[in-house]
Amino acid sequence: MKLNIVCKLNAKEYSPELQGIVSALSTINDGLYIWDEGQKEAYDMFYECSPDIVVCMDRGISKALSGALEKYKNTKLVAIGKDLPPHSSPDLVCYLGAEGNDKYNLLPAIDIVQCQYQPAKEKYRSEITCISESETPVIHDLSHFAIKCFSLTNRLRYPNYIGKIAPSEITSILSSTSVYLDVEGNNHVLLSSMFNKTPCLSVSSTMFDTELMPQPADTEELTGCIKSIIFKKKFREEHVKKCYSFAKKNTYFHRISDIFSLLGHEKYSEESLLAIGNYT
């Protein structure tokens, strides 16, 4: 018997953590209820769904939701983020670096349901691709390469800036480049690159150690790393193999397995790990 799981979403906000968790939960649980509080009030949703679990962002915990949880005491609330309103008392709080009782250290992971391979497209072709929300001199220092830059929300002023993209375009963009270059420590896009077997580098602080993600000391060293990836087949293949192996061990199925276990649903925790094989 499946659980009644409700995920509260806000269409105006994009959270890779919540998206990844929703994708994995939906697959394991054979579906879930997506709730927009602007369309349906909290008490009406609880009356119709009788949820076993409600998942939402910290800022999405309204007073009405907290009030409904007081009445429906068997429902467990999972909050993503640490900025909790004073009226809330989640059963589990998930964020990077979380410690203590009723908390889960939510490490960055790969949404392998949504990040399956997509073929390259000519309009995305490049030697180096960068997806970021801010500008950096690093891009100008690499002008001797064919670079294309994209963003998800902010418009950038690079000469080689192509435009804003939807998250669904990322895998095709990664398939169309020789090297993905991270400039702001975006672990989620780096993991997508690793899982799609696109060589990647970073000039920022990330979750990866230097064996997996070299830290170039300057532009000259960065240029050398990029040239090695592009022109040295053995180096590129070894780098891709190590990165793909890491990504397969850090999926949102791993994260919801932990979450299910902490909530006392061991059967679903085990099924979450078994589901990985359907996507790798």
Side-chain angles (χ1 to χ4, degrees), residues 216-227:
D218 50 35
T219 302
E220 183 178 353
E221 193 172 318
L222 175 61
T223 298
C225 287
I226 292 171
K227 287 182 177 179

Side-chain angles (χ1 to χ4, degrees), residues 180-192:
Y180 172 71
L181 178 63
D182 166 71
V183 297
E184 56 188 15
N186 192 324
N187 295 303
H188 289 93
V189 180
L190 281 168
L191 282 164
S192 295

Side-chain angles (χ1 to χ4, degrees), residues 134-177:
S134 57
E135 298 169 16
T136 170
V138 172
I139 299 300
H140 299 291
D141 294 339
L142 298 172
S143 58
H144 48 291
F145 291 102
I147 304 178
K148 288 186 177 178
C149 299
F150 305 87
S151 63
L152 291 167
T153 56
N154 299 328
R155 295 196 66 83
L156 307 179
R157 293 176 294 177
Y158 293 130
N160 42 18
Y161 175 66
I162 306 304
K164 291 194 286 187
I165 57 171
S168 58
E169 295 178 78
I170 290 177
T171 48
S172 184
I173 289 171
L174 293 173
S175 299
S176 307
T177 190

Side-chain angles (χ1 to χ4, degrees), residues 54-276:
V54 174
V55 181
C56 72
M57 298 298 296
D58 48 5
R59 54 187 172 270
I61 306 174
S62 64
K63 288 185 178 180
L65 173 56
S66 294
L69 287 164
E70 281 293 316
K71 180 178 179 181
Y72 292 83
K73 296 186 180 298
N74 290 329
T75 301
K76 294 185 177 180
L77 175 63
V78 178
I80 312 300
K82 59 183 176 181
D83 296 325
L84 303 172
H87 55 75
S88 68
S89 183
D91 296 273
L92 187 64
V93 183
C94 310
Y95 59 88
L96 181 62
E99 295 180 343
N101 295 332
D102 303 325
K103 291 184 173 62
Y104 173 58
N105 181 15
L106 182 59
L107 295 170
I110 172 71
D111 179 1
I112 59 176
V113 177
Q114 301 296 327
C115 291
Q116 291 293 299
Y117 172 80
Q118 293 185 52
K121 293 183 179 179
E122 193 59 38
K123 65 179 180 178
Y124 298 142
R125 291 281 186 191
S126 65
E127 288 182 307
I128 300 174
T129 282
C130 174
I131 301 172
S132 67
E133 300 308 314
S134 57
E135 298 169 16
T136 170
V138 172
I139 299 300
H140 299 291
D141 294 339
L142 298 172
S143 58
H144 48 291
F145 291 102
I147 304 178
K148 288 186 177 178
C149 299
F150 305 87
S151 63
L152 291 167
T153 56
N154 299 328
R155 295 196 66 83
L156 307 179
R157 293 176 294 177
Y158 293 130
N160 42 18
Y161 175 66
I162 306 304
K164 291 194 286 187
I165 57 171
S168 58
E169 295 178 78
I170 290 177
T171 48
S172 184
I173 289 171
L174 293 173
S175 299
S176 307
T177 190
S178 299
V179 181
Y180 172 71
L181 178 63
D182 166 71
V183 297
E184 56 188 15
N186 192 324
N187 295 303
H188 289 93
V189 180
L190 281 168
L191 282 164
S192 295
S193 183
M194 292 175 173
F195 185 74
N196 281 275
K197 300 183 179 180
T198 297
C200 52
L201 291 169
S202 180
V203 295
S204 186
S205 176
T206 69
M207 67 183 287
F208 314 105
D209 59 35
T210 54
E211 181 180 352
L212 195 67
M213 189 66 56
Q215 290 285 312
D218 50 35
T219 302
E220 183 178 353
E221 193 172 318
L222 175 61
T223 298
C225 287
I226 292 171
K227 287 182 177 179
S228 294
I229 288 175
I230 294 175
F231 300 113
K232 295 182 180 180
K233 182 179 179 181
K234 184 177 180 182
F235 180 88
R236 179 174 65 252
E237 289 177 346
E238 289 177 352
H239 176 65
V240 166
K241 183 178 179 180
K242 286 190 296 185
C243 289
Y244 178 69
S245 178
F246 182 90
K248 284 202 306 180
K249 297 174 184 176
N250 286 273
T251 75
Y252 275 104
F253 286 109
H254 290 92
R255 304 296 179 256
I256 66 165
S257 174
D258 293 339
I259 290 172
F260 275 132
S261 181
L262 290 168
L263 294 177
H265 296 291
E266 293 298 337
K267 173 178 174 289
Y268 288 90
S269 176
E270 294 170 4
E271 289 181 358
S272 299
L273 296 179
L274 291 174
I276 297 170

